Amino acid sequence: QKKHKVAIVGSGNWGSAIAKIVAENTKHYPDVFQEEVKMWVFEETYLLPSSHPRYDFSKHSQPVKLTQLINELNENVKYLPGIRLPSNILATPDITDAVKDATILVFNVPHQFVSKICDQILGHNLPYAKAISCIKGVEVSSEGISLFSDVIGRRLGIYCGALSGANIANEVAQEKFSETTIAYQPPKDIPKEQEMPKEYPPVDHATFKTLFHRPYFHVRCISDVAGVSLGGALKNIVALAAGFVDGRGWGDNAKAAIMRVGLLEMRKFGKMFFADTCRTSTFTEESCGVADLITSCNGGRNHKCAKMMVATGKKIEEIEEEVLNGQKLQGTSTAKEVNEFLKMRGLEGEFPLFTAVYSTLTPILMHIVRGGWSANPCRHY
Ligand code: NAD
Ligand code: 13P
């Protein structure tokens, strides 16, 4: 029997942490997977700090390619510093090389880059490859709103599920315990060319549990792809609100109120626009719902930058640039995209918290939160 070949598309903070998990499991389950995992890297040069424990002046005194550093040091020194990656990860700057013979594709890039990356992959992926999106965001166009699992699936002509949970990447990479949710429910009747050839093991919930579950990373598999994707995307808007509250020093009770209301708006959004598939229990019972909301409103980057925005009066984009070292916030663009979608339908008033977060991000209205959130979005519930 043939073995599945896994490729990771993306190598940021979470991309690298997920590559570590996957590579540990491809090594652990050699009957199911080929050991080597290719990880696509958006190439850049990087000057290794001389404080790095394996700094070698003869090699590192000038900026070198990030892929070269990752492969030499088994560490993503820019986006996941201090974490040793398994040596069976092979970083490559060539996206077509990364995906060309992979039967399982794991997408893990900031959501704003997905469409362009799919354009580069198109025609190079196996028609029967299966994918999992670890991306937290939504795509809004004049036609409406799409989940990234759907965007990837549609553009590449393959089926794509979703993985999302309370998963701060640095904690997962340090092997601190966390849970995650994987949703995978391919339609029964798929075109012949998309069927996995019989020589490969079938790809199902058990396959993804084998690929992602670790003693420190517990996986639950469900079928609600919309709920899993929306939980991850929408909680980033709420995490910004929680950051504003902490920046103002309004206290834990106020933050809990924001989280409660945020969860209600997440669930309402899912039920209103993805009614066919989205389940309430995904938001209230799974890691990708309430648990991710809690962790992100305390330890996430959106929360941290929003808190600093209020404390300093700077624009959040400036803070992102100053403190994240190339990592990307997802909540700011998601707040804007969700607002555009709601505005087109005259539904901003139905989601007062999402609407208030978007307004607060625009500099003109930032004084509202700096002075006190006069139109308290929690009043509506
Ligand atoms: P990140 O925030 O670390 O972003 C940096 C990555 O973006 C780098 O790999 C960089 O090379 C790449 N990049 C920069 N410019 C690019 C371009 N023009 N084209 C393509 N790539 C470019 O990324 P991340 O943390 O891996 O996040 C990926 C997804 O995972 C996001 O949707 C995020 O919400 C989600 N997520 C993140 C975490 C976390 O704790 N970091 C946890 C769970 C989920
Ligand atoms: P941030 O992007 O706000 O850091 O959120 C990380 C996350 O999604 C944790 O589950």
Side-chain angles (χ1 to χ4, degrees):
Q1 216 182 22
K2 287 191 172 176
K3 298 169 187 189
H4 287 297
K5 173 110 184 121
V6 188
I8 313 287
V9 177
S11 57
N13 191 231
W14 186 223
S16 303
I18 274 288
K20 173 177 177 291
I21 288 173
V22 164
E24 286 167 0
N25 278 332
T26 58
K27 198 177 170 78
H28 197 79
Y29 297 102
D31 295 347
V32 190
F33 304 110
Q34 293 183 39
E35 190 174 318
E36 183 187 83
V37 173
K38 283 195 180 157
M39 177 173 81
W40 173 69
V41 175
F42 180 74
E43 190 67 289
E44 61 187 289
T45 52
Y46 184 72
L47 180 62
L48 192 68
S50 56
S51 56
H52 189 276
R54 286 173 288 153
Y55 180 84
D56 174 346
F57 183 81
S58 66
K59 292 185 195 160
H60 304 136
S61 60
Q62 298 295 322
V64 286
K65 288 183 173 155
L66 187 57
T67 43
Q68 193 182 317
L69 284 171
I70 295 172
N71 290 333
E72 177 199 327
L73 299 170
N74 298 126
E75 180 184 337
N76 189 338
V77 286
K78 177 160 183 193
Y79 293 105
L80 192 60
I83 301 295
R84 194 64 84 99
L85 298 175
S87 56
N88 52 324
I89 293 177
L90 183 66
T92 171
D94 180 346
I95 190 115
T96 58
D97 172 52
V99 304
K100 67 175 191 288
D101 49 4
T103 49
I104 298 180
L105 299 169
V106 179
F107 283 82
N108 205 338
V109 290
H111 77 275
Q112 54 269 44
F113 305 130
V114 176
S115 293
K116 189 153 173 238
I117 290 169
C118 285
D119 289 345
Q120 291 168 336
I121 292 177
L122 187 62
H124 299 282
N125 60 291
L126 294 173
Y128 49 84
K130 307 296 170 208
I132 288 286
S133 160
C134 305
I135 296 154
K136 294 185 176 175
V138 283
E139 187 182 79
V140 169
S141 70
S142 52
E143 275 123 65
I145 192 160
S146 302
L147 312 171
F148 277 103
S149 46
D150 289 338
V151 171
I152 292 164
R154 215 171 36 234
R155 288 201 171 220
L156 301 182
I158 59 179
Y159 178 76
C160 183
L163 177 154
S164 186
N167 302 143
I168 303 274
N170 293 337
E171 293 182 17
V172 176
Q174 290 168 54
E175 306 191 0
K176 293 178 178 172
F177 180 79
S178 71
E179 298 177 309
T180 205
T181 318
I182 294 178
Y184 188 80
Q185 183 78 339
K188 293 251 167 343
D189 47 345
I190 53 170
K192 196 97 192 108
E193 69 275 11
Q194 287 186 24
E195 281 174 18
M196 185 61 70
K198 296 270 178 289
E199 308 87 73
Y200 289 97
V203 176
D204 52 20
H205 283 185
T207 318
F208 289 119
K209 198 141 186 173
T210 311
L211 187 61
F212 290 103
H213 192 90
R214 297 293 298 155
Y216 59 88
F217 191 68
H218 279 206
V219 170
R220 268 171 59 81
C221 291
I222 62 173
S223 55
D224 178 8
V225 179
V228 169
S229 308
L230 286 176
L234 300 176
K235 65 83 192 174
N236 283 331
I237 307 179
V238 188
L240 291 170
F244 300 151
V245 169
D246 279 342
R248 289 297 299 163
W250 287 341
D252 291 339
N253 297 334
K255 189 158 89 172
I258 288 291
M259 288 159 72
R260 181 185 78 83
V261 167
L263 188 61
L264 291 178
E265 290 197 6
M266 287 162 62
R267 190 183 67 181
K268 182 173 176 178
F269 194 94
K271 285 291 182 192
M272 205 178 260
F273 304 114
F274 293 85
D276 294 348
T277 54
C278 209
R279 297 173 68 92
T280 295
S281 60
T282 306
F283 296 103
T284 54
E285 292 172 25
E286 301 296 341
S287 180
C288 60
V290 63
D292 194 10
L293 180 71
I294 293 169
T295 203
S296 299
C297 289
N298 289 296
R301 300 167 298 185
N302 287 287
H303 168 265
K304 177 179 167 178
C305 292
K307 186 175 168 183
M308 289 178 74
M309 170 186 132
V310 174
T312 61
K314 290 184 184 174
K315 287 208 290 193
I316 199 159
E317 291 78 12
E318 271 176 76
I319 309 233
E320 179 181 17
E321 191 71 32
E322 280 169 22
V323 304
L324 291 188
N325 193 30
Q327 293 182 35
K328 304 287 177 200
L329 289 181
Q330 301 286 266
T332 44
S333 41
T334 303
K336 184 168 182 286
E337 286 145 4
V338 165
N339 184 266
E340 267 167 34
F341 175 75
L342 293 174
K343 205 176 194 162
M344 278 190 274
R345 284 157 185 77
L347 289 172
E348 284 172 293
E350 292 279 326
F351 295 87
L353 179 63
F354 290 171
T355 303
V357 170
Y358 171 66
S359 308
T360 305
L361 290 170
T362 57
I364 276 175
L365 292 173
M366 206 178 87
H367 68 277
I368 294 176
V369 79
R370 284 176 63 76
W373 221 339
S374 52
N376 181 353
C378 297
R379 272 188 332 193
H380 298 264
Y381 295 89

